[in-house]
Amino acid sequence: MEDPQQRLETALKACAAGDRKGLAVIYHSEAARMVTVAERILRRHDLAEEIVQEAFLQIWQKAGQYSPERGSARGWLYAVVKSRSLNAIRDGRREELTDTESLERLQDEAQDGLFADLFDDLDQSSRLRACLSRLDALRRKTVLMAYVSGYSHGEIAGRLKLPLGTAKAWIRRSLLALRECMA
């Protein structure tokens, strides 16, 4: 049985040869993740779906340009999605549907609730909960943002309106405190 990487490589070769079944294989195995990647960049699901549709058109048309010597098939596919997403931002297709300040406030309120819920969902007797409760609320939030939601240090600093160095230091110190507490 072919591994997923080999299957994608074979599907790209089929696309290059004009075989639509190759594109169907790529679509069924990667489309959902591609939309997720595009949405992470664009912050809009509807636009992410549109970008992925355009990416599939580009994949179909340019599959012959893929070269296994230059990288993995999956990497090539996601590079197309990322490139199209960034182009959409540069071209201004990521139009704001509401004023930025209101949207940011709503997102921050939703995120605050999410991180509080994540902490509250931990078992009352769990050691992790006890250790996390030793951290002040803002530092606990930075750790949850980084390690549960996958935000980068820069994204955390931006969302919490902190200097980047402060966000990095808080996360590092909080992890050290958690490590010490859990030991």
Side-chain angles (χ1 to χ4, degrees):
M1 180 167 194
E2 244 178 349
D3 69 34
Q5 184 66 309
Q6 184 63 43
R7 190 174 65 242
L8 288 175
E9 202 170 297
T10 302
L12 277 172
K13 287 178 185 174
C15 287
D19 184 357
R20 292 181 183 202
K21 290 178 185 174
L23 193 62
V25 167
I26 296 169
Y27 180 83
H28 290 298
S29 68
E30 302 299 319
R33 283 186 289 253
M34 288 175 160
V35 170
T36 302
V37 168
E39 188 173 0
R40 178 103 167 125
I41 295 168
L42 299 164
R43 306 273 189 233
R44 280 188 43 207
H45 186 76
D46 60 327
L47 186 54
E49 288 177 337
E50 183 181 327
I51 292 300
V52 170
Q53 182 179 0
E54 291 173 8
F56 271 99
L57 182 61
Q58 184 176 349
I59 290 165
W60 174 253
Q61 293 170 341
K62 300 192 178 198
Q65 293 178 0
Y66 167 69
S67 171
E69 295 79 34
R70 293 174 54 202
S72 72
R74 182 170 278 137
W76 188 81
L77 294 169
Y78 285 89
V80 170
V81 171
K82 182 179 178 185
S83 175
R84 296 214 60 95
S85 298
L86 293 174
N87 285 344
I89 291 172
R90 278 191 292 271
D91 294 345
R93 287 173 51 196
R94 183 183 166 192
E95 59 196 40
E96 297 295 327
L97 300 177
T98 184
D99 65 285
T100 304
E101 193 173 300
S102 298
L103 184 60
E104 286 177 1
R105 184 177 41 76
L106 289 171
Q107 287 176 332
D108 290 343
E109 289 171 4
Q111 290 294 328
D112 287 342
L114 170 68
F115 297 117
D117 290 346
L118 288 170
F119 180 69
D120 291 340
D121 286 346
L122 289 172
D123 182 25
Q124 293 291 334
S125 61
S126 91
R127 202 162 170 184
L128 179 60
R129 183 186 173 94
C131 292
L132 281 170
S133 67
R134 290 183 180 180
L135 300 174
D136 70 61
L138 194 52
R139 291 178 189 223
R140 178 173 50 240
K141 184 176 179 180
T142 62
V143 170
L144 292 172
M145 288 175 81
Y147 292 95
V148 175
S149 296
Y151 288 114
S152 69
H153 290 119
E155 289 172 321
I156 293 168
R159 286 188 175 275
L160 298 179
K161 296 177 180 32
L162 297 170
L164 178 60
T166 301
K168 287 180 175 181
W170 282 7
I171 293 168
R172 184 175 44 80
R173 289 182 193 140
S174 298
L175 290 175
L176 289 172
L178 285 173
R179 187 177 297 138
E180 186 177 306
C181 178
M182 297 290 287

